[in-house]
Amino acid sequence: MSETNPAATAPVSADAAPHRYTAAMAAEIEARWQDFWDAEGTYAAPNPKGDLAGDPELVAKPKKFIMDMFPYPSGAGLHVGHPLGYIATDVSARFQRMTGHNVLHTLGFDAFGLPAEQYAVQTGTHPRVSTEANMENMKSQLRRLGLGHDKRRSFATIDPEYYKWTQWIFLQIFNSWYDDEAKRARPIAELVAQFESGARGVRGDRSWGELTEAERADVLGEYRLAYASDAPVNWCPGLGTVLANEEVTADGRSERGNFPVFKSKLRQWNMRITAYADRLLDDLDALDWPEAIKLQQRNWIGRSEGARVDFPIDGERITVFTTRPDTLFGATYMVLAPEHPLVEKFTPDAWPEGTRDAWTGGHATPAEAVAAYRAQAASKSDVERQAEAKDKTGVFIGAYATNPVNGERVPVFVADYVLMGYGTGAIMAVPAGDQRDLEFARAFELPIRCIVEPTDGRGTDTSTWEDAFGSYDAKIINSAGTGSSGEGVTLDGLPVVEAKERITEWLERTGAGAGTVNFRLRDWLFSRQRYWGEPFPIVYDEDGTAHPLPASMLPLELPEVEDYSPRTFDPDDADTEPETPLSRNEDWVNVTLDLGDGRGPRKYRRETNTMPNWAGSCWYELRYLDPHNSERLVDPEIEQYWMGPREGLPHGGVDLYVGGAEHAVLHLLYARFWSKVLFDLGHVSSAEPFHKLFNQGMIQAYVYRDGRGIAVPAAEVEERDGAYYYQGEKVSRLLGKMGKSLKNAVTPDEICAEYGADTLRLYEMAMGPLDVSRPWDTRAVVGQFRLLQRLWRNVVDENTGELSVADVAEGDIDADTLRALHKAVDGVRQDLEGMRFNTAIAKVTELNNHLTKAGGPVPRSVAERLVLLVAPLAPHVAEELWRKLGHESSVVHEDFPVADPAYVVDETVTCVVQIKGKVKARLEVAPSISDDDLEKAALADEKVVAALGGAGIRKVIVRAPKLVNIVPA
Ligand code: ANZ
């Protein structure tokens, strides 16, 4: 890089003064202070008790828990984009330490996951070996940045002492149920007690005492917050595993690897996150999170208010979910999802009289038509099925149901645009109000009845409509009738919202339906057919009943297996079944255990799935608090100290959590769910894990491509007259991601070698507001290096290396310097508090420049405060200068300077206000005031108002900032 970038080499040239701040000096200073911090435990945050107890004075201070989304230890190591957030939290943590807080700041590793396993499959290296090597590499890269982490608190999710507790939490979740009345999780034993006493009925008419053990297990499985089920799951043969909905892309492929994903029935573990849908929604309000993330969570949870409506059919009924019961009079047909369990039941042997050819799909019987259509639908993903532009397909099942509001016979279809996993898997179709229904109705020649009066001038003749009209800001028409109950209802003339209320009341009164709330959120599919994850603490007895291991058997360590690769299949073959790597270790799988449940030693088979890689990040904030506790998840007093609810808020949690916006619905939703379960069960005091969330932007980089479109090494591209050349050939330039594959990755190591970590930190923080993405420009880094050189020069004589400051009494410092100093102190304080690091650096630069320009030695007290301002941003050079200024202790725990307000207010100028040429008032205004503002201020002035005595104004002449002349009417 330095060969092609003369600007970068200039400041480190050999003719520099002997004690100039150079890259070599930065390297020496930085290494020395990093060793010092490690040796002194400078960043150790004391707990109120336990093995990390410490300085009671520090413990007595208000706490701040500042956290990053911990990294996955990737083999590629870090590029300069990765540490953006880590540097930002580090600056914040340092600032909070200097403003009187006990700050917990550390970093662990999220180390289970697919990449290490896939690497293992390719190379034969055990995932633990490669993961540990990657962690070592990343740790040394991170150490070089001078991050003030409490290393005693660091861990990796693959440590058995850590995943012991991940497994323990799984057991808590398995051993609890959601009490809908109390609106919280409770131990499953309390449910069993209710069944035993008869306070709660068991389904069917048998008592709890009459059920077999296996039947009881089944009943409890319907309540447990972690349960196994055969529900259709996202099966990805290409990865050899099933995936959570959150891991499937919008076009129905795996987020990782981009393989097709199919719906398949497999017995899998699930987490009943849907029990918490309401609380996950409601509790968002009090969180200090970016609105965009809250919105994504709200949409993902997808709360819809509507109604369930029963359509009678053959003495039975089909229940639909609709958000628009007000449109019931426009329901002219019904659709069942192809997988709907009632389809067969209602499908008759022959087509009823008068069935149109277009409805039969060309089949001789309804059963044949339905079977053929089902097979076709099974080969498509949900997303393909819902694609908007797609032609609507389906077949008539040969039966009619009755619309309960008017007794009309409506034909029933199966069609793949209705999904089994949403609502009830059945809909009433309202072609006039719903676009998909409109398209289907046109394709199958079904009636389209206008029931909401269009407000856009299209008229009520639906045959001329281009699209459906479902507006909420309209009135209902053509909607009166008498239902099967004999009770009439009319909605005509009502606005939609009122019509919804009236029809819902009617449905409830006549027993035809009820108001209901539906959620888009599904339970969380929690098992993976992979090796590199936490084993489940579950064993199965000979009947196949699942039993939890007792906590004393944890951790259940991941066994060695000969072949830990998953079995992958033909990615396009949906009919395969996964084979888990753990199942190949028969010795581990088949065990004789005494579970301590009074049944004595028995033979069991272990669960051979592993947990998804999201498990480890669901609770890691808690482990940082009490990282070595082998007795409890976390000591309650320590948890309360760091995470306890704060005044005025319903929850506590981490004070600042920084990470990428891509985790909106995966990690951030799962972690909130686990927190709530742990809270309900009394293990933690905050129902929310992260009070304040901040999403940092991305560091982008230019991608240079040659004539063939192939990326060329960015570092070797030269710029000439606004064009770019690689080895003499002209190349194109576009802003993109940074990474190895695009040949534009810049590593922090390179920049640290070239300029030092302090310069890198300053540059990353100065690039722009933290939440905005910004392009990396290696050539611009030198600007921050020069700032540090000037800072150094303002305190140290470059030729002698001696301190160059002057001992001047505060009263003898010139007013301009004091003003520059206090303004900087005031501004930097506010900016660091508000995480506006770029403007904080601008203010430090301004003060530093002022001191350079002022010439002569800098007053010691000013230099000291300047160093303190810089300390959170560039901690190494700050430590060095602080030491040179004669202080024995580290700058890390010094007090951040406080501004004297007298010097902070802007200078003012006196503006004269005249009326008809006579001076009537004088105003103190900012020199930069605009004509408009000055005119307003003058006209509002009491003396001016009095002098005008209510007279109108003909003209105002303004010469900001000094003169206003008013001419009355
Ligand atoms: C009648 C109706 C009339 C509807 C109208 C909409 C507009 P959200 O808001 O996302 O909850 N629906 C219900 N279950 C479905 C399923 N399993 N697959 C596909 N579509 C389904 O959407 C709820 C609406 O989506 C429901 O309200 C239903 O169509 C449809 F003018 O019922 B509606």
Side-chain angles (χ1 to χ4, degrees), residues 337-380:
E339 306 84 353
H340 197 290
L342 293 179
V343 171
E344 270 133 15
K345 184 169 202 171
F346 299 133
T347 303
D349 294 335
W351 293 115
E353 190 112 351
T355 299
R356 293 186 218 161
D357 286 349
W359 292 7
T360 65
H363 292 279
T365 66
E368 254 181 62
V370 166
Y373 190 75
R374 280 184 149 180
Q376 179 192 330
S379 67
K380 289 185 198 155

Side-chain angles (χ1 to χ4, degrees), residues 304 321-324 327 386 417-419 422 425 427-428 430 433-434 436:
S304 295
F321 169 70
T322 174
T323 44
R324 296 295 299 270
T327 63
Q386 292 243 302
Y417 75 95
V418 172
L419 303 176
Y422 190 74
I427 66 157
M428 62 181 219
V430 181
D434 183 288
R436 295 163 303 177

Side-chain angles (χ1 to χ4, degrees), residues 690-853:
F690 313 119
H691 172 60
K692 181 182 168 85
L693 174 72
F694 192 100
N695 297 126
Q696 85 274 18
M698 288 245 295
I699 290 193
Q700 299 162 308
Y702 288 110
V703 187
Y704 299 90
R705 292 182 194 276
D706 64 16
R708 294 165 302 163
I710 293 175
V712 302
E716 292 164 41
V717 170
E718 288 169 53
E719 182 181 353
R720 262 179 274 137
D721 308 325
Y724 302 91
Y725 299 88
Y726 171 67
Q727 297 181 343
E729 189 198 336
K730 199 165 170 182
V731 291
S732 68
R733 185 179 89 152
L734 262 180
L735 207 50
K737 270 188 149 181
M738 182 176 281
K740 275 199 169 158
S741 58
L742 295 172
K743 298 193 187 137
N744 61 358
V746 178
T747 64
D749 316 55
E750 299 169 52
I751 302 297
C752 286
E754 193 89 13
Y755 300 106
D758 281 336
T759 295
L760 173 65
R761 294 170 59 109
L762 279 178
Y763 176 67
E764 295 219 357
M765 292 299 98
M767 286 169 84
L770 185 63
D771 55 348
V772 171
S773 293
R774 63 289 294 285
W776 178 266
D777 182 2
T778 297
R779 275 168 301 202
V781 179
V782 69
Q784 298 304 325
F785 183 72
R786 297 225 168 94
L787 167 65
L788 291 179
Q789 285 190 313
R790 285 193 300 272
L791 168 71
W792 184 264
R793 211 177 288 142
N794 276 331
V795 186
V796 178
D797 184 320
E798 287 190 334
N799 292 310
T800 64
E802 296 298 314
L803 206 59
S804 65
V805 298
D807 287 303
V808 184
E810 191 80 358
D812 296 335
I813 302 173
D814 73 281
D816 275 355
T817 297
L818 285 177
R819 213 172 288 120
L821 171 70
H822 287 284
K823 275 190 166 179
V825 167
D826 181 57
V828 173
R829 209 176 227 280
Q830 290 183 36
D831 286 348
L832 292 185
E833 187 69 57
M835 299 182 69
R836 295 180 298 272
F837 306 109
N838 56 327
T839 53
I841 292 170
K843 284 166 191 154
V844 166
T845 310
E846 219 173 287
L847 172 61
N848 197 47
N849 288 351
H850 170 90
L851 298 175
T852 307
K853 264 193 229 131

